[in-house]
Amino acid sequence: MIDKLIEKIQKTGAPIVVGLDPMLSYVPEQVQKKAYEAYGETLAGAAEAIWQFNKEIVDKTWDLIPAVKPQIAMYEQFGIEGLQAYRKTVEYCKEKGLVVIGDVKRGDIGSTSAAYAAGHLGKVQIGSKTYAPFDEDFATVNPYLGSDGVRPFIEVCKEEKKGLFILVKTSNPSSGEFQDQLVNGRPLYELVGEKVAQWGEEHMGSSYSYIGAVVGATYPEMGKALRKIMPKSFILVPGYGAQGGKGQDLVHFFDRDGLGAIVNSSRGIIAAYKQEAYKEFGPENFGDASRAAVEAMIADIRGALG
Amino acid sequence: MIDKLIEKIQKTGAPIVVGLDPMLSYVPEQVQKKAYEAYGETLAGAAEAIWQFNKEIVDKTWDLIPAVKPQIAMYEQFGIEGLQAYRKTVEYCKEKGLVVIGDVKRGDIGSTSAAYAAGHLGKVQIGSKTYAPFDEDFATVNPYLGSDGVRPFIEVCKEEKKGLFILVKTSNPSSGEFQDQLVNGRPLYELVGEKVAQWGEEHMGSSYSYIGAVVGATYPEMGKALRKIMPKSFILVPGYGAQGGKGQDLVHFFDRDGLGAIVNSSRGIIAAYKQEAYKEFGPENFGDASRAAVEAMIADIRGALG
């Protein structure tokens, strides 16, 4: 799957991922209205609204991009019905040939991580049958519990040729509270980065590992250090755009070959129609606004990478 | 909700929580068979099997215990259908008057944590209507992202009078890999514990805070230190029984009043019928075996607390 991701990045020339994080406030009124007419102002109505919103954005951008990253919290907040929209979104994006990174940030003790891994990346056995319940291509994982919380995910990835992005240095303002604490003179996130590099050796693709890392665009200097600590790990870079990261900040997350990183934008793409720069599209053409925002993001990053 | 939890602990004399973590391998064959006859060997069949399993255990133990802790991974592994069984389990346990601790270990950047918090502990607004999608009483939260990943959960807890248990020192063997790293001569988990104490001050019940901590029974010395660092935080203690923790290890997690901690056992209770000590019950009376295991656990902890 890491090889497929790289192949698609090379084909599209776009090391980017669109974050499908559909807050209801991003969904244009006409889409919400139609969904509520069909399902009422219910969890099912909200789920329908975010699914239709996603579908339009995917339909308007899939040919430009290698991957999407649905943030499961935005679906889980609408309960079972919301999670059905998540499942449908994953499935639809895979049909479109997109690589799907499930931003689930799971992580627990061994047997529990094994259950999450089976549900999201692998298969479960029920009597004589097997099922792949959520079936994302990659998942994000929280490392706070250490190796035996991460390894069950790696085991499933090996079986299924799938991958992980493990939280190393997150993009949010208070990420440093624990992640930057110095351990023997070095920040904790570097230790986590070293572990990611080690775990990555257990499951290599042809040039990069299936086991990648999350490092926020908002911390470019740290990205530079981590790029060296994890030479074979792909870096998923959130925080571009709405969170403040810019193309020029991202150069050091990449290798000289222009690979090694994939930059996520969520709000900046999916709610583009709300921005001054794209308001001419209007809410009715929100998908076209997203396409224009994807094109601008690709140009920005290509420009920065030279 | 922390006051309700304390009241129920005092009434039952049992500072314990039953972990409803139904691996399919724990579910007796006759329960699985019946579920598959009704729904086939499908995700819905597995969901029915774990729901019926839970229901029997709850029916046989609810009067002895203050709380349950369903581990969402064990449901999520069966996809949407599994999560329906989770929802049903939460609802049923609340009907029985039990406090429900959703062991979800969520945690993300601010806006995303807000979505998880709304979905699990709070409400979502859809048009003119509001819904409480999962509606647990407490949730477990991963602190790796720092304050702005935790605070949205606290905000919702304040509105809803609900609570959290934040991962401080987890029960698994490799928890020390990051959690024990020394920062200025002190382990990281103590720093996290200090933060939990600070966060806890923002949302106090009448004697303890709504914001508690998770500290594994497998690390009693650390529990002793953390008890002092977080004097007003309830400690949720996993790792009793199957993971190796014993009643005598737990004394220092508690305050002198016998409060301040609640000890979880999952496999040791719900799969009791598989143990040598309870095998006379047989798989057909698995609920009675669980009741006997609950009684033994209460006696062990009461004995240790003297």
Side-chain angles (χ1 to χ4, degrees), chain B residues 225-306:
Chain B
L226 286 163
R227 177 69 285 163
K228 287 182 191 135
I229 290 170
M230 311 176 295
K232 294 291 176 195
S233 303
F234 239 76
I235 302 179
L236 171 64
V237 189
Y240 175 89
Q243 285 183 57
K246 290 185 184 64
Q248 65 204 36
D249 298 331
L250 299 170
V251 179
H252 300 296
F253 290 82
F254 288 86
D255 287 320
R256 286 187 195 166
D257 57 6
L259 286 171
I262 186 161
V263 182
N264 179 75
S265 176
S266 300
R267 201 180 346 159
I269 305 290
I270 68 173
Y273 76 97
K274 292 193 160 203
Q275 294 169 43
E276 195 57 32
Y278 303 104
K279 74 170 185 189
E280 84 249 34
F281 288 98
E284 64 282 8
N285 300 310
F286 67 96
D288 297 305
S290 293
R291 185 176 179 91
V294 164
E295 287 168 337
M297 181 179 174
I298 294 172
D300 179 35
I301 291 174
R302 276 190 200 153
L305 294 180

Side-chain angles (χ1 to χ4, degrees), chain A residues 5-285:
Chain A
L5 179 63
I6 292 169
E7 189 195 309
K8 287 200 62 97
I9 290 171
Q10 289 174 321
K11 208 168 146 191
T12 55
I16 72 163
V17 50
V18 171
L20 296 173
D21 308 0
M23 310 257 281
L24 215 40
S25 60
Y26 299 166
V27 180
E29 215 169 304
Q30 78 277 7
V31 178
Q32 289 194 49
K33 193 162 170 270
K34 204 171 158 192
Y36 300 155
E37 275 165 14
Y39 296 92
E41 290 179 339
T42 60
L43 294 170
E48 173 69 7
I50 62 177
W51 154 243
Q52 291 297 343
F53 178 68
N54 283 347
K55 186 173 177 301
E56 175 66 10
I57 290 166
V58 172
D59 285 345
K60 288 282 162 68
T61 60
W62 69 273
D63 58 314
L64 299 176
I65 59 174
V68 292
K69 181 176 75 63
Q71 166 52 262
I72 199 169
M74 297 304 163
Y75 306 81
E76 199 166 313
Q77 70 178 324
F78 299 117
I80 303 298
E81 290 82 355
L83 286 158
Q84 278 166 328
Y86 178 80
R87 179 74 182 89
K88 227 189 303 191
T89 299
V90 171
E91 208 168 8
Y92 188 73
C93 292
K94 288 174 73 177
E95 279 167 28
K96 288 280 186 187
L98 293 164
V99 172
V100 178
I101 302 166
D103 197 355
V104 300
K105 294 191 181 66
R106 302 307 194 239
D108 210 297
I109 66 166
S111 53
T112 308
S113 278
Y116 279 130
H120 284 282
L121 300 171
K123 296 188 183 79
V124 287
Q125 178 89 26
I126 301 170
S128 59
K129 305 275 176 58
T130 54
Y131 297 89
F134 286 105
D135 208 18
E136 301 97 323
D137 296 316
F138 284 83
T140 56
V141 166
N142 185 311
Y144 188 66
L145 285 88
S147 290
D148 58 29
V150 173
R151 198 149 270 132
F153 285 96
I154 299 177
E155 292 308 313
V156 168
C157 286
K158 281 185 186 172
E159 277 165 39
E160 305 286 340
K161 293 196 182 302
K162 292 190 171 180
L164 305 177
F165 290 101
I166 295 170
L167 304 188
V168 172
K169 171 69 188 172
T170 56
S171 61
N172 56 313
S174 72
S175 69
E177 218 167 271
F178 303 126
Q179 297 166 25
D180 294 2
Q181 292 291 346
L182 295 182
V183 176
N184 296 324
R186 297 177 60 206
L188 179 67
Y189 63 77
E190 291 196 4
L191 260 73
V192 179
E194 277 172 10
K195 272 285 167 194
V196 168
Q198 282 172 30
W199 292 326
E201 286 169 16
E202 296 174 23
H203 187 27
M204 281 295 297
S206 45
S207 53
Y208 286 92
S209 173
Y210 284 78
I211 311 304
V214 174
V215 183
T218 40
Y219 301 104
E221 284 305 311
M222 300 177 185
K224 193 172 174 177
L226 286 162
R227 177 69 286 162
K228 287 183 189 133
I229 290 170
M230 312 177 294
K232 294 292 176 194
S233 303
F234 239 75
I235 302 179
L236 171 63
V237 188
Y240 175 89
Q243 285 183 59
K246 289 186 184 63
Q248 66 204 35
D249 297 332
L250 300 170
V251 179
H252 298 298
F253 290 82
F254 288 86
D255 288 320
R256 286 185 197 167
D257 56 6
L259 287 170
I262 187 161
V263 181
N264 180 77
S265 177
S266 300
R267 202 179 346 157
I269 304 290
I270 67 173
Y273 77 97
K274 293 194 159 204
Q275 294 169 41
E276 195 57 32
Y278 303 105
K279 75 169 184 190
E280 85 250 33
F281 287 99
E284 64 283 8
N285 300 309

Side-chain angles (χ1 to χ4, degrees), chain B residues 15-46:
Chain B
I16 72 163
V17 49
V18 171
L20 296 173
D21 309 0
M23 311 256 281
L24 215 42
S25 60
Y26 300 166
V27 180
E29 215 167 304
Q30 78 277 6
V31 178
Q32 290 194 49
K33 194 162 170 269
K34 204 170 159 191
Y36 300 155
E37 275 165 13
Y39 295 91
E41 291 179 340
T42 60
L43 294 170

Side-chain angles (χ1 to χ4, degrees), chain B residues 2-302:
Chain B
I2 187 72
D3 295 336
K4 182 182 170 188
L5 179 63
I6 292 168
E7 188 194 308
K8 287 200 62 99
I9 290 171
Q10 289 174 322
K11 206 168 145 191
T12 55
I16 72 163
V17 49
V18 171
L20 296 173
D21 309 0
M23 311 256 281
L24 215 42
S25 60
Y26 300 166
V27 180
E29 215 167 304
Q30 78 277 6
V31 178
Q32 290 194 49
K33 194 162 170 269
K34 204 170 159 191
Y36 300 155
E37 275 165 13
Y39 295 91
E41 291 179 340
T42 60
L43 294 170
E48 172 70 8
I50 61 179
W51 154 244
Q52 292 297 342
F53 177 67
N54 283 347
K55 187 173 177 299
E56 174 68 10
I57 290 166
V58 172
D59 286 344
K60 288 283 163 67
T61 59
W62 69 273
D63 58 312
L64 299 176
I65 59 175
V68 292
K69 181 177 75 63
Q71 165 53 260
I72 200 170
M74 297 304 163
Y75 305 81
E76 198 166 313
Q77 69 177 325
F78 299 116
I80 305 297
E81 290 83 354
L83 287 158
Q84 278 167 327
Y86 177 80
R87 179 75 181 87
K88 224 187 308 190
T89 298
V90 171
E91 209 168 8
Y92 188 72
C93 292
K94 287 174 72 176
E95 280 168 26
K96 288 279 186 189
L98 293 164
V99 172
V100 178
I101 302 166
D103 197 354
V104 300
K105 295 190 180 67
R106 302 306 195 239
D108 210 296
I109 66 167
S111 55
T112 308
S113 278
Y116 279 130
H120 284 283
L121 300 171
K123 296 188 184 78
V124 287
Q125 178 88 26
I126 300 169
S128 58
K129 306 273 176 59
T130 54
Y131 297 89
F134 286 106
D135 208 18
E136 301 97 323
D137 297 316
F138 284 84
T140 56
V141 166
N142 186 312
Y144 188 66
L145 285 89
S147 290
D148 59 27
V150 173
R151 199 150 270 130
F153 284 97
I154 299 177
E155 291 309 313
V156 169
C157 286
K158 282 184 186 173
E159 278 166 38
E160 305 287 340
K161 294 196 181 301
K162 293 189 171 182
L164 304 178
F165 290 102
I166 295 170
L167 305 188
V168 173
K169 172 68 188 173
T170 56
S171 60
N172 56 313
S174 72
S175 69
E177 218 166 272
F178 303 124
Q179 297 165 25
D180 294 3
Q181 291 292 345
L182 295 182
V183 177
N184 296 325
R186 296 177 60 206
L188 179 66
Y189 63 77
E190 291 196 4
L191 261 72
V192 179
E194 277 172 9
K195 272 285 166 193
V196 168
Q198 282 172 30
W199 292 324
E201 286 168 16
E202 295 174 25
H203 187 28
M204 281 295 298
S206 44
S207 52
Y208 286 92
S209 173
Y210 283 78
I211 312 303
V214 174
V215 183
T218 41
Y219 300 104
E221 284 306 311
M222 301 177 185
K224 193 172 174 177
L226 286 163
R227 177 69 285 163
K228 287 182 191 135
I229 290 170
M230 311 176 295
K232 294 291 176 195
S233 303
F234 239 76
I235 302 179
L236 171 64
V237 189
Y240 175 89
Q243 285 183 57
K246 290 185 184 64
Q248 65 204 36
D249 298 331
L250 299 170
V251 179
H252 300 296
F253 290 82
F254 288 86
D255 287 320
R256 286 187 195 166
D257 57 6
L259 286 171
I262 186 161
V263 182
N264 179 75
S265 176
S266 300
R267 201 180 346 159
I269 305 290
I270 68 173
Y273 76 97
K274 292 193 160 203
Q275 294 169 43
E276 195 57 32
Y278 303 104
K279 74 170 185 189
E280 84 249 34
F281 288 98
E284 64 282 8
N285 300 310
F286 67 96
D288 297 305
S290 293
R291 185 176 179 91
V294 164
E295 287 168 337
M297 181 179 174
I298 294 172
D300 179 35
I301 291 174
R302 276 190 200 153

